[in-house]
mmCIF file with all atom_site columns, all heavy atoms in Angstrom:
data_model
loop_
_atom_site.group_PDB
_atom_site.id
_atom_site.type_symbol
_atom_site.label_atom_id
_atom_site.label_alt_id
_atom_site.label_comp_id
_atom_site.label_asym_id
_atom_site.label_entity_id
_atom_site.label_seq_id
_atom_site.pdbx_PDB_ins_code
_atom_site.Cartn_x
_atom_site.Cartn_y
_atom_site.Cartn_z
_atom_site.occupancy
_atom_site.B_iso_or_equiv
_atom_site.pdbx_formal_charge
_atom_site.auth_seq_id
_atom_site.auth_comp_id
_atom_site.auth_asym_id
_atom_site.auth_atom_id
_atom_site.pdbx_PDB_model_num
ATOM 1   N N   . LYS A 1 13  ? -23.461 22.684 -37.709 1.00 96.00 ? 13  LYS A N   1
ATOM 2   C CA  . LYS A 1 13  ? -24.824 22.280 -37.369 1.00 96.00 ? 13  LYS A CA  1
ATOM 3   C C   . LYS A 1 13  ? -24.780 21.515 -36.048 1.00 96.00 ? 13  LYS A C   1
ATOM 4   O O   . LYS A 1 13  ? -23.722 21.050 -35.612 1.00 96.00 ? 13  LYS A O   1
ATOM 5   C CB  . LYS A 1 13  ? -25.399 21.379 -38.463 1.00 96.00 ? 13  LYS A CB  1
ATOM 6   C CG  . LYS A 1 13  ? -25.411 22.003 -39.840 1.00 96.00 ? 13  LYS A CG  1
ATOM 7   C CD  . LYS A 1 13  ? -26.559 22.957 -39.962 1.00 96.00 ? 13  LYS A CD  1
ATOM 8   C CE  . LYS A 1 13  ? -26.565 23.515 -41.386 1.00 96.00 ? 13  LYS A CE  1
ATOM 9   N NZ  . LYS A 1 13  ? -27.738 24.278 -41.673 1.00 96.00 ? 13  LYS A NZ  1
ATOM 10  N N   . THR A 1 36  ? -6.084  22.487 -29.140 1.00 97.00 ? 36  THR A N   1
ATOM 11  C CA  . THR A 1 36  ? -7.164  22.874 -30.028 1.00 97.00 ? 36  THR A CA  1
ATOM 12  C C   . THR A 1 36  ? -7.245  24.395 -30.057 1.00 97.00 ? 36  THR A C   1
ATOM 13  O O   . THR A 1 36  ? -6.410  25.066 -29.469 1.00 97.00 ? 36  THR A O   1
ATOM 14  C CB  . THR A 1 36  ? -8.497  22.239 -29.559 1.00 97.00 ? 36  THR A CB  1
ATOM 15  O OG1 . THR A 1 36  ? -9.518  22.553 -30.492 1.00 97.00 ? 36  THR A OG1 1
ATOM 16  C CG2 . THR A 1 36  ? -8.888  22.714 -28.177 1.00 97.00 ? 36  THR A CG2 1
ATOM 17  N N   . ASN A 1 62  ? -25.642 7.272  -13.537 1.00 97.00 ? 62  ASN A N   1
ATOM 18  C CA  . ASN A 1 62  ? -24.661 8.265  -13.963 1.00 97.00 ? 62  ASN A CA  1
ATOM 19  C C   . ASN A 1 62  ? -23.792 7.732  -15.090 1.00 97.00 ? 62  ASN A C   1
ATOM 20  O O   . ASN A 1 62  ? -23.441 8.470  -16.010 1.00 97.00 ? 62  ASN A O   1
ATOM 21  C CB  . ASN A 1 62  ? -23.791 8.701  -12.782 1.00 97.00 ? 62  ASN A CB  1
ATOM 22  C CG  . ASN A 1 62  ? -24.521 9.658  -11.868 1.00 97.00 ? 62  ASN A CG  1
ATOM 23  O OD1 . ASN A 1 62  ? -25.569 10.185 -12.211 1.00 97.00 ? 62  ASN A OD1 1
ATOM 24  N ND2 . ASN A 1 62  ? -23.969 9.867  -10.695 1.00 97.00 ? 62  ASN A ND2 1
ATOM 25  N N   . LYS A 1 71  ? -20.285 7.997  -25.646 1.00 94.00 ? 71  LYS A N   1
ATOM 26  C CA  . LYS A 1 71  ? -20.443 6.855  -26.545 1.00 94.00 ? 71  LYS A CA  1
ATOM 27  C C   . LYS A 1 71  ? -19.169 6.037  -26.764 1.00 94.00 ? 71  LYS A C   1
ATOM 28  O O   . LYS A 1 71  ? -18.957 5.490  -27.836 1.00 94.00 ? 71  LYS A O   1
ATOM 29  C CB  . LYS A 1 71  ? -21.018 7.307  -27.888 1.00 94.00 ? 71  LYS A CB  1
ATOM 30  C CG  . LYS A 1 71  ? -22.384 7.939  -27.770 1.00 94.00 ? 71  LYS A CG  1
ATOM 31  C CD  . LYS A 1 71  ? -22.886 8.425  -29.100 1.00 94.00 ? 71  LYS A CD  1
ATOM 32  C CE  . LYS A 1 71  ? -24.258 9.021  -28.977 1.00 94.00 ? 71  LYS A CE  1
ATOM 33  N NZ  . LYS A 1 71  ? -24.327 10.177 -28.101 1.00 94.00 ? 71  LYS A NZ  1
ATOM 34  N N   . GLU A 1 74  ? -14.403 2.694  -23.265 1.00 96.00 ? 74  GLU A N   1
ATOM 35  C CA  . GLU A 1 74  ? -13.068 2.872  -22.688 1.00 96.00 ? 74  GLU A CA  1
ATOM 36  C C   . GLU A 1 74  ? -12.961 4.224  -21.968 1.00 96.00 ? 74  GLU A C   1
ATOM 37  O O   . GLU A 1 74  ? -12.364 4.332  -20.904 1.00 96.00 ? 74  GLU A O   1
ATOM 38  C CB  . GLU A 1 74  ? -11.985 2.779  -23.766 1.00 96.00 ? 74  GLU A CB  1
ATOM 39  C CG  . GLU A 1 74  ? -11.901 1.420  -24.439 1.00 96.00 ? 74  GLU A CG  1
ATOM 40  C CD  . GLU A 1 74  ? -12.911 1.250  -25.561 1.00 96.00 ? 74  GLU A CD  1
ATOM 41  O OE1 . GLU A 1 74  ? -13.493 2.259  -26.018 1.00 96.00 ? 74  GLU A OE1 1
ATOM 42  O OE2 . GLU A 1 74  ? -13.146 0.100  -25.971 1.00 96.00 ? 74  GLU A OE2 1
ATOM 43  N N   . PRO A 1 91  ? -14.293 20.941 -5.880  1.00 94.00 ? 91  PRO A N   1
ATOM 44  C CA  . PRO A 1 91  ? -15.690 21.323 -6.056  1.00 94.00 ? 91  PRO A CA  1
ATOM 45  C C   . PRO A 1 91  ? -16.050 21.741 -7.477  1.00 94.00 ? 91  PRO A C   1
ATOM 46  O O   . PRO A 1 91  ? -17.213 21.933 -7.789  1.00 94.00 ? 91  PRO A O   1
ATOM 47  C CB  . PRO A 1 91  ? -15.858 22.504 -5.102  1.00 94.00 ? 91  PRO A CB  1
ATOM 48  C CG  . PRO A 1 91  ? -14.502 23.092 -5.010  1.00 94.00 ? 91  PRO A CG  1
ATOM 49  C CD  . PRO A 1 91  ? -13.536 21.947 -5.134  1.00 94.00 ? 91  PRO A CD  1
ATOM 50  N N   . ARG A 1 103 ? -1.934  29.779 -34.749 1.00 96.00 ? 103 ARG A N   1
ATOM 51  C CA  . ARG A 1 103 ? -1.632  28.726 -35.717 1.00 96.00 ? 103 ARG A CA  1
ATOM 52  C C   . ARG A 1 103 ? -1.018  29.343 -36.963 1.00 96.00 ? 103 ARG A C   1
ATOM 53  O O   . ARG A 1 103 ? -1.404  30.426 -37.397 1.00 96.00 ? 103 ARG A O   1
ATOM 54  C CB  . ARG A 1 103 ? -2.917  27.969 -36.046 1.00 96.00 ? 103 ARG A CB  1
ATOM 55  C CG  . ARG A 1 103 ? -2.697  26.712 -36.845 1.00 96.00 ? 103 ARG A CG  1
ATOM 56  C CD  . ARG A 1 103 ? -3.853  25.744 -36.753 1.00 96.00 ? 103 ARG A CD  1
ATOM 57  N NE  . ARG A 1 103 ? -5.145  26.351 -37.027 1.00 96.00 ? 103 ARG A NE  1
ATOM 58  C CZ  . ARG A 1 103 ? -6.307  25.782 -36.694 1.00 96.00 ? 103 ARG A CZ  1
ATOM 59  N NH1 . ARG A 1 103 ? -6.313  24.618 -36.079 1.00 96.00 ? 103 ARG A NH1 1
ATOM 60  N NH2 . ARG A 1 103 ? -7.443  26.373 -36.978 1.00 96.00 ? 103 ARG A NH2 1
ATOM 61  N N   . GLY A 1 124 ? 4.310   18.809 -9.676  1.00 73.00 ? 124 GLY A N   1
ATOM 62  C CA  . GLY A 1 124 ? 5.675   18.706 -9.156  1.00 73.00 ? 124 GLY A CA  1
ATOM 63  C C   . GLY A 1 124 ? 6.127   19.998 -8.523  1.00 73.00 ? 124 GLY A C   1
ATOM 64  O O   . GLY A 1 124 ? 6.791   20.005 -7.488  1.00 73.00 ? 124 GLY A O   1
ATOM 65  N N   . THR A 1 133 ? 8.199   24.159 2.762   1.00 59.00 ? 133 THR A N   1
ATOM 66  C CA  . THR A 1 133 ? 7.524   24.787 3.883   1.00 59.00 ? 133 THR A CA  1
ATOM 67  C C   . THR A 1 133 ? 7.656   23.965 5.160   1.00 59.00 ? 133 THR A C   1
ATOM 68  O O   . THR A 1 133 ? 7.550   24.508 6.245   1.00 59.00 ? 133 THR A O   1
ATOM 69  C CB  . THR A 1 133 ? 6.036   25.010 3.580   1.00 59.00 ? 133 THR A CB  1
ATOM 70  O OG1 . THR A 1 133 ? 5.431   23.749 3.294   1.00 59.00 ? 133 THR A OG1 1
ATOM 71  C CG2 . THR A 1 133 ? 5.861   25.955 2.416   1.00 59.00 ? 133 THR A CG2 1
ATOM 72  N N   . ARG A 1 136 ? 12.272  21.167 9.947   1.00 66.00 ? 136 ARG A N   1
ATOM 73  C CA  . ARG A 1 136 ? 12.818  20.015 10.645  1.00 66.00 ? 136 ARG A CA  1
ATOM 74  C C   . ARG A 1 136 ? 13.313  20.489 12.001  1.00 66.00 ? 136 ARG A C   1
ATOM 75  O O   . ARG A 1 136 ? 14.111  21.413 12.105  1.00 66.00 ? 136 ARG A O   1
ATOM 76  C CB  . ARG A 1 136 ? 13.972  19.426 9.838   1.00 66.00 ? 136 ARG A CB  1
ATOM 77  C CG  . ARG A 1 136 ? 14.532  18.196 10.465  1.00 66.00 ? 136 ARG A CG  1
ATOM 78  C CD  . ARG A 1 136 ? 15.565  17.591 9.579   1.00 66.00 ? 136 ARG A CD  1
ATOM 79  N NE  . ARG A 1 136 ? 16.170  16.467 10.254  1.00 66.00 ? 136 ARG A NE  1
ATOM 80  C CZ  . ARG A 1 136 ? 17.123  15.752 9.739   1.00 66.00 ? 136 ARG A CZ  1
ATOM 81  N NH1 . ARG A 1 136 ? 17.587  16.038 8.558   1.00 66.00 ? 136 ARG A NH1 1
ATOM 82  N NH2 . ARG A 1 136 ? 17.627  14.735 10.396  1.00 66.00 ? 136 ARG A NH2 1
ATOM 83  N N   . LYS A 1 141 ? 20.579  18.053 22.711  1.00 66.00 ? 141 LYS A N   1
ATOM 84  C CA  . LYS A 1 141 ? 21.963  17.629 22.893  1.00 66.00 ? 141 LYS A CA  1
ATOM 85  C C   . LYS A 1 141 ? 22.041  16.294 23.621  1.00 66.00 ? 141 LYS A C   1
ATOM 86  O O   . LYS A 1 141 ? 22.892  15.465 23.339  1.00 66.00 ? 141 LYS A O   1
ATOM 87  C CB  . LYS A 1 141 ? 22.748  18.697 23.657  1.00 66.00 ? 141 LYS A CB  1
ATOM 88  C CG  . LYS A 1 141 ? 22.919  19.974 22.882  1.00 66.00 ? 141 LYS A CG  1
ATOM 89  C CD  . LYS A 1 141 ? 23.678  21.011 23.663  1.00 66.00 ? 141 LYS A CD  1
ATOM 90  C CE  . LYS A 1 141 ? 23.799  22.299 22.862  1.00 66.00 ? 141 LYS A CE  1
ATOM 91  N NZ  . LYS A 1 141 ? 24.490  23.332 23.619  1.00 66.00 ? 141 LYS A NZ  1
ATOM 92  N N   . LYS A 1 142 ? 21.120  16.057 24.542  1.00 65.00 ? 142 LYS A N   1
ATOM 93  C CA  . LYS A 1 142 ? 21.120  14.798 25.288  1.00 65.00 ? 142 LYS A CA  1
ATOM 94  C C   . LYS A 1 142 ? 20.840  13.621 24.357  1.00 65.00 ? 142 LYS A C   1
ATOM 95  O O   . LYS A 1 142 ? 21.481  12.584 24.433  1.00 65.00 ? 142 LYS A O   1
ATOM 96  C CB  . LYS A 1 142 ? 20.080  14.844 26.402  1.00 65.00 ? 142 LYS A CB  1
ATOM 97  C CG  . LYS A 1 142 ? 20.403  15.831 27.500  1.00 65.00 ? 142 LYS A CG  1
ATOM 98  C CD  . LYS A 1 142 ? 19.314  15.848 28.532  1.00 65.00 ? 142 LYS A CD  1
ATOM 99  C CE  . LYS A 1 142 ? 19.571  16.885 29.606  1.00 65.00 ? 142 LYS A CE  1
ATOM 100 N NZ  . LYS A 1 142 ? 18.483  16.957 30.581  1.00 65.00 ? 142 LYS A NZ  1
ATOM 101 N N   . ALA A 1 151 ? 26.315  4.436  19.366  1.00 54.00 ? 151 ALA A N   1
ATOM 102 C CA  . ALA A 1 151 ? 27.029  4.143  18.123  1.00 54.00 ? 151 ALA A CA  1
ATOM 103 C C   . ALA A 1 151 ? 28.427  3.630  18.431  1.00 54.00 ? 151 ALA A C   1
ATOM 104 O O   . ALA A 1 151 ? 28.946  2.756  17.734  1.00 54.00 ? 151 ALA A O   1
ATOM 105 C CB  . ALA A 1 151 ? 27.093  5.392  17.244  1.00 54.00 ? 151 ALA A CB  1
#
Side-chain angles (χ1 to χ4, degrees):
K13 303 281 182 171
T36 184
N62 283 347
K71 299 177 179 61
E74 296 83 15
R103 190 160 51 197
T133 59
R136 183 175 175 181
K141 293 179 182 178
K142 293 178 183 177

